[in-house]
């Protein structure tokens, strides 16, 4: 199989490359074409991994001819270009034109509805696209399908993600992923599915306290913009069961939470229109990103070793066998030597799993969210191969 990864030398893309070339591969990998705007990052990744199957390809995704060349001959396109850069629909359409199966990492649901609306065009062209295939969204959607399949009728499904860090206090603010994404999660309104319909909810609302085991402890969750709530309650096999509520809530590490709240209060993430400073027009997020990156670089010797753990869980309530039932499906990711070298093993490994499952099985043309495409048992087996702890419980 020949796989093209756009943004393949970025934080998430590099992790996807690692998993594809590992001994966990589901399908035989002949070539991984790493396409990126940074030749330096591509060369560094190739040198680090030392795998002859890596082919580097300098790419500006706004260059249509180069984009078409990057997709030529590919068995699948993995779009790991940061969603909030605004290139998602361009790449999505390029994959359709090239008749190449497509996956992306989602990105707060910014383009999800537009992409799903193109289902008929992709189906007619015989092209498969599955959108939002990281950990959240992606794996989280599959957890929701696992919950839904255990229930005969569904009242509600509530989806949660919590991250926590163990170790000395970090004197440096280190974002868990893209700064623009974190601030959007904190500053932008979200769409939730409440009382049988989609409604817009204000940022930092929907707060809910849940007691979790160590290392998380008592966590405060909040509504956040994501794509799962846009697709799961409308999915075939879920909507017919009468679902009236679906929510997605976030908890970032206790120590960093207040920093992000403070930045939002200061205006970051709310409006990124340029401001004039000393006669120069600059975008607030560009300045913030540059300052944080510089601070990390200048203080690397002060950044302590911290172990990150995350838990993804969906709780479904409804009926089973004519009786009230609660189903919980969770995936726990704790420190493991397998994840060395990954910035975010959860997101990277899940994108690799999704792409390979599409290649390993007969393809279904059209545009799908993960809960409408993947077989739950096959997906869960791949998670366990990567040392993710999967558990489903049913309480009647």
């Amino acid at each position: 199989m020949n796989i093209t990864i756009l943004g393949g030398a970025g934080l998430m893309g590099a992790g996807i490359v690692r998993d594809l070339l590992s001994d966990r591969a589901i399908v035989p990998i002949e070539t991984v074409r790493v396409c990126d705007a940074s030749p330096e990052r591509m060369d560094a990744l190739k040198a680090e991994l030392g795998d002859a199957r890596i082919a580097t390809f300098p790419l500006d995704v706004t260059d249509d001819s180069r984009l078409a060349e990057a997709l030529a001959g590919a068995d699948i396109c993995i779009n790991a270009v940061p969603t909030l850069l605004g290139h998602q629909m361009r790449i999505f359409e390029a994959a359709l034109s090239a008749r190449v199966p497509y996956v992306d990492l989602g990105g707060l649901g910014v383009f999800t509805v537009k992409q799903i609306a193109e289902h008929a065009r992709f189906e007619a062209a015989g092209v498969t696209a599955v959108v939002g295939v990281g950990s959240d969204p992606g794996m989280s959607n599959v957890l929701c399908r696992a919950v839904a399949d255990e229930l005969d009728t569904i009242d509600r499904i509530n989806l949660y993600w919590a991250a926590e860090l163990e170790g000395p206090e970090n004197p440096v603010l280190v974002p868990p992923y893209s700064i623009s994404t974190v601030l959007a999660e904190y500053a932008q309104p979200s769409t939730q599915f409440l009382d049988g319909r989609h409604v817009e909810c204000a940022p930092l609302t929907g707060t809910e306290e849940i007691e979790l085991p160590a290392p998380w402890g008592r966590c405060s969750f909040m509504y956040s913009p994501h794509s799962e709530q846009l697709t799961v309650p409308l999915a075939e096999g879920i909507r017919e069961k009468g679902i009236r509520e679906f929510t997605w809530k976030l908890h970032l590490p206790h120590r960093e939470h207040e920093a992000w709240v403070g930045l939002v209060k200061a205006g970051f993430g709310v409006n990124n229109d340029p401001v004039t400073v000393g006669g120069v027009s600059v975008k607030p997020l560009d300045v913030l990103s540059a300052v944080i990156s510089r601070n990390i670089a200048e203080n690397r010797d002060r950044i302590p070793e911290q172990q990150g753990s995350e838990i993804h869980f969906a709780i479904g309530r409804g009926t089973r066998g004519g009786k009230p039932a609660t189903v919980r499906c969770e995936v726990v990711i704790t420190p493991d030597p397998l994840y060395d070298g990954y910035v975010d093993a959860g997101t990277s490994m899940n994108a690799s799993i999704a792409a390979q499952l599409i290649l390993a099985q007969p393809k279904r043309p059209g545009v799908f969210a993960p809960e409408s495409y993947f077989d739950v048992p096959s997906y869960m087996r791949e998670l366990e191969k990567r040392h993710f702890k999967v558990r489903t419980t049913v309480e009647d």
Side-chain angles (χ1 to χ4, degrees):
M1 297 291 180
N2 299 302
I3 299 176
T4 286
I5 306 182
L6 307 182
L11 297 179
M12 298 303 106
I16 298 170
V17 174
R18 290 177 187 276
D19 192 76
L20 289 171
L21 298 177
S22 72
D23 59 5
R24 298 177 295 277
I26 308 167
V27 295
I29 307 293
E30 298 172 35
T31 304
V32 176
R33 183 181 294 161
V34 178
C35 307
D36 201 279
S38 171
E40 296 79 13
R41 286 201 307 259
M42 288 191 291
D43 290 343
L45 179 64
K46 185 171 183 177
E48 179 188 354
L49 297 182
D51 196 307
R53 292 174 291 176
I54 296 177
T56 59
F57 187 94
L59 176 67
D60 174 353
V61 295
T62 65
D63 184 331
D64 292 337
S65 62
R66 285 289 284 173
L67 181 55
E69 189 177 347
L71 296 175
D75 291 298
I76 196 165
C77 167
I78 302 175
N79 176 11
V81 175
T83 305
L84 297 183
L85 291 181
H87 304 305
Q88 195 134 320
M89 294 306 292
R90 172 191 292 273
I91 298 169
F92 179 71
E93 289 291 339
L96 176 61
S97 297
R99 301 296 192 268
V100 172
Y102 169 95
V103 297
D104 63 36
L105 302 183
L108 307 184
V110 174
F111 298 105
T112 301
V113 173
K114 290 181 180 179
Q115 290 174 300
I116 295 291
E118 300 301 326
H119 175 82
R121 290 178 60 220
F122 274 72
E123 186 177 38
V127 178
T128 299
V130 185
V131 297
V133 298
S135 54
D136 279 66
M139 177 181 71
S140 57
N141 300 66
V142 179
L143 298 188
C144 295
R145 172 60 70 179
V147 164
D149 288 350
E150 294 288 344
L151 293 168
D152 299 327
T153 67
I154 302 171
D155 177 39
R156 55 192 167 113
I157 297 176
N158 303 107
L159 181 62
Y160 305 86
W161 176 62
E164 197 53 72
L165 296 170
E166 294 180 273
E169 178 74 24
N170 192 342
V172 179
L173 179 63
V174 179
Y177 36 84
S178 165
I179 294 170
S180 59
T181 300
V182 179
L183 289 173
E185 288 179 323
Y186 274 71
Q188 299 300 323
S190 69
T191 299
Q192 308 291 334
F193 190 73
L194 303 172
D195 197 24
R197 63 190 181 91
H198 283 110
V199 298
E200 185 175 286
C201 300
L204 304 175
T205 61
T207 54
E208 179 181 359
E209 301 287 326
I210 299 179
E211 192 70 40
L212 297 174
W216 298 279
R218 188 164 187 80
C219 293
S220 179
F221 289 86
M222 65 181 187
Y223 288 150
S224 182
H226 249 242
S227 62
E228 294 95 327
Q229 57 265 38
L230 302 176
T231 64
V232 172
L234 304 181
E236 185 176 352
I238 295 179
R239 67 174 181 271
E240 295 89 345
K241 293 184 179 182
I243 188 168
R244 300 289 296 169
E245 176 180 309
F246 185 95
T247 60
W248 190 88
K249 295 185 179 182
L250 167 74
H251 166 83
L252 287 184
H254 293 84
R255 298 171 181 175
E256 280 73 23
H257 170 76
E258 291 303 327
W260 298 114
V261 171
L263 287 169
V264 169
K265 288 181 178 179
F268 291 99
V270 178
N271 183 344
N272 199 38
D273 290 343
V275 295
T276 300
V277 181
V280 178
S281 179
V282 294
K283 290 187 175 182
L285 283 185
D286 291 345
V287 175
L288 179 64
S289 180
V291 170
I292 288 178
S293 295
R294 184 184 66 182
N295 196 39
I296 292 172
E298 292 180 349
N299 293 279
R300 288 199 181 278
D301 59 338
R302 301 178 62 216
I303 298 176
E305 285 290 330
Q306 292 183 314
Q307 299 285 347
S309 298
E310 54 189 275
I311 181 170
H312 311 250
F313 60 103
I315 301 175
R317 295 175 176 85
T319 63
R320 175 184 165 102
K323 299 178 181 179
T326 299
V327 180
R328 176 183 172 122
C329 185
E330 69 178 29
V331 172
V332 174
I333 307 174
T334 53
D336 189 294
L338 187 65
Y339 310 144
D340 290 349
Y342 289 84
V343 173
D344 180 348
T347 297
S348 298
M349 289 182 171
N350 274 283
S352 173
I353 288 170
Q356 292 188 68
L357 285 176
I358 291 170
L359 293 173
Q361 301 168 355
K363 297 180 187 64
R364 296 162 51 199
V367 183
F368 303 89
E371 71 275 6
S372 297
Y373 194 88
F374 297 112
D375 168 70
V376 171
S378 298
Y379 199 102
M380 297 304 190
R381 283 194 296 271
E382 293 303 317
L383 294 178
E384 290 172 339
K385 279 169 55 176
R386 290 159 176 83
H387 302 181
F388 295 2
K389 302 172 184 69
V390 182
R391 185 174 70 160
T392 301
T393 58
V394 180
E395 295 180 10
D396 292 323

